[in-house]
Amino acid sequence: MADAICRVLRDGALEGEHATSLTINDSVDSPFGPIVFDYIFTQLSSFISSEKSQSRGIVLVSFARSPSSTAELLNTRGTDIATSHQWLSVLDCYTDPLGWKEQLKERGAIKTPSTEASLNLNLCKDVRNLDDLFSQILVLGKGLVGEGKTRFSVAIDSVSEMLRHTSLSSVSSLINNLRSHAQVSSIFWLLHSDLHDIKTTSAFEYMSSMVANVKPLSTTTNAEQNYKKGQFHASLKRRNGRVRVMVEEFSNEQSQIKFTSMNAVENAITQSLVPKVQFNMQLSDKEKSDRAKVVLPFEHQEMDKSVQIYDGRKSLTEVKHESNGENLKKQEEFERGEIIYFRDSDDEMPDSDEDPDDDLDI
């Protein structure tokens, strides 16, 4: 199921759509969010480097890891670092997020910090200026794919770190601007949900077309077991409006995550949030027979009888027939009263409940 998310990010967005977006949520009960992020990042990088993705480059906005850690991650996954500058750019927001080291270097208090020469790096010196951060991401992305319709992807390794320096509205505005940019194919980020309130997590999930929650394997298992295994709950919003829910188990083995499908009984509960409704468009023989017997209003069925149109008055035959019937029932129904009214002539105005045009055969 995690591979399905990677394929959705690989396929990107259609013309005129916002970029495909993914929120990865984790918590202290199951702190595997960075490992899941690394898995998705390396999978998408593999698609991009082999030109099997809609995007032709990826910009990694690094808040929680050093550039050397990113290079080591790519090396362990078998990615050629020497050619990574053709499709990967790293915006380093980890080394000097507020520009303090740069100020100390200008004063001669510290030496120039070393950088990872094997990666295409660009240093961000003020993570509080999100307008400048947005411009740097676009410059790095266009540096990989050029101008035009060619697209690139964006990965943010921790929006929780961003929220330490700026407001929720500013970060949401940055992500929305990236999603709506014509050259951004897909974007995904990591959020430590237990560090924020429900309003914050809901805001990021609202902006996402996919949400992945990393949860403990079970609330009854011991803590040591939850730090080795867990569950991966993913919700995918399809273009037809339906939401597909998927659940997988995963295990952490030597800093690498492995996903395994849950059994059919557990997975059947989470197939879809939309109930399946079936419509029978054909009538049975009994339904056809019952429908044929229904007499519709104002539809005169002859049935060997003359058509009689009620005009609000009773004929003499009907009056006599009713009078005889009433005489037979008077003794049994002596307590019930009844008012019988006969119109004197056609000139008399009809009552409010009578239709003056009921003599027309409509």
Side-chain angles (χ1 to χ4, degrees):
M1 301 303 178
D3 293 334
I5 290 180
C6 296
R7 290 192 294 269
V8 174
L9 293 173
R10 175 199 65 187
D11 296 339
L14 297 177
E15 188 76 21
E17 288 185 344
H18 283 182
T20 304
S21 53
L22 166 67
T23 295
I24 304 172
N25 292 320
D26 75 341
S27 64
V28 69
D29 295 329
S30 185
F32 294 104
I35 300 178
V36 173
F37 180 90
D38 292 345
Y39 179 84
I40 295 176
F41 171 71
T42 53
Q43 288 290 101
L44 184 59
S45 298
S46 177
F47 289 136
I48 293 174
S49 61
S50 59
E51 298 183 354
K52 296 180 180 179
S53 174
Q54 182 190 60
S55 57
R56 289 295 181 262
I58 182 169
V59 177
L60 174 62
V61 185
S62 181
F63 280 89
R65 74 175 72 210
S66 63
S68 59
S69 300
T70 302
E72 183 180 355
L73 171 66
L74 295 175
N75 275 325
T76 56
R77 302 301 169 87
T79 303
D80 187 6
I81 299 297
T83 60
S84 63
H85 65 278
Q86 299 177 0
W87 51 268
L88 172 64
S89 289
V90 179
L91 182 57
D92 184 10
C93 301
Y94 173 85
T95 302
D96 192 12
L98 299 177
W100 292 350
K101 293 182 179 180
E102 182 68 20
Q103 296 177 12
L104 293 175
K105 184 185 69 173
E106 292 176 355
R107 298 173 184 176
I110 61 173
K111 297 180 180 180
T112 303
S114 60
T115 56
E116 189 69 33
S118 57
L119 295 176
N120 183 14
L121 291 176
N122 190 46
L123 186 63
C124 179
K125 300 177 182 179
D126 188 3
V127 297
R128 297 167 297 184
N129 189 351
L130 295 188
D131 292 334
D132 182 63
L133 185 66
F134 175 71
S135 300
Q136 290 187 66
I137 294 174
L138 294 184
V139 169
L140 293 177
K142 293 179 180 180
L144 295 172
V145 302
E147 299 285 348
K149 295 185 178 180
T150 308
R151 301 192 177 193
F152 61 92
S153 298
V154 179
I156 305 175
D157 65 354
S158 179
V159 293
S160 296
E161 292 289 337
M162 298 179 67
L163 292 172
R164 291 177 58 189
H165 303 286
T166 185
S167 63
L168 172 62
S169 59
S170 300
V171 178
S172 301
S173 178
L174 170 67
I175 293 178
N176 274 325
N177 290 336
L178 290 172
R179 290 179 60 233
S180 59
H181 196 274
Q183 285 191 267
V184 177
S185 173
S186 60
I187 177 173
F188 60 100
W189 56 84
L190 173 63
L191 177 69
H192 303 299
S193 58
D194 55 345
L195 299 180
H196 311 284
D197 55 13
I198 298 177
K199 175 184 176 182
T200 302
T201 57
S202 300
F204 286 105
E205 291 179 0
Y206 179 80
M207 294 185 291
S208 307
S209 55
M210 297 180 291
V211 176
N213 294 305
V214 182
K215 298 183 177 182
L217 186 61
S218 175
T219 56
T220 58
T221 56
N222 54 48
E224 183 179 356
Q225 184 72 10
N226 286 332
Y227 279 93
K228 293 181 179 179
K229 296 181 179 181
Q231 288 186 355
F232 183 76
H233 294 244
S235 302
L236 285 73
K237 301 176 185 177
R238 296 181 174 179
R239 290 185 174 91
N240 59 5
R242 293 190 175 185
V243 178
R244 181 186 179 189
V245 178
M246 303 177 294
V247 180
E248 278 186 331
E249 292 183 1
F250 65 85
S251 59
N252 182 29
E253 300 177 3
Q254 298 179 352
S255 299
Q256 291 189 6
I257 194 167
K258 292 185 179 180
F259 296 91
T260 56
S261 299
M262 299 181 66
N263 57 59
V265 176
E266 294 175 340
N267 198 25
I269 304 175
T270 57
Q271 287 296 320
S272 177
L273 292 179
V274 180
K276 296 181 179 179
V277 181
Q278 296 181 353
F279 295 94
N280 185 11
M281 305 302 295
Q282 302 295 330
L283 295 178
S284 63
D285 294 338
K286 183 179 182 305
E287 291 173 339
K288 292 179 179 179
S289 177
D290 293 340
R291 186 180 65 175
K293 295 178 181 179
V294 176
V295 179
L296 299 178
F298 303 105
E299 182 178 351
H300 303 299
Q301 307 293 335
E302 292 291 343
M303 301 177 63
D304 299 330
K305 294 182 180 179
S306 60
V307 178
Q308 296 181 355
I309 302 175
Y310 176 68
D311 62 353
R313 296 174 294 180
K314 297 183 179 181
S315 62
L316 183 61
T317 305
E318 292 175 336
V319 172
K320 290 181 179 181
H321 178 72
E322 291 180 358
S323 298
N324 294 332
E326 290 176 357
N327 292 330
L328 295 176
K329 296 180 181 180
K330 276 184 179 180
Q331 296 179 355
E332 298 178 359
E333 302 178 355
F334 63 92
E335 295 182 354
R336 186 182 67 179
E338 184 178 11
I339 299 176
I340 302 177
Y341 170 72
F342 298 98
R343 288 171 56 182
D344 296 335
S345 65
D346 293 338
D347 297 333
E348 184 179 351
M349 293 298 295
D351 294 335
S352 60
D353 59 344
E354 296 182 9
D355 185 2
D357 297 328
D358 58 2
D359 59 335
L360 300 178
D361 187 7
I362 299 177

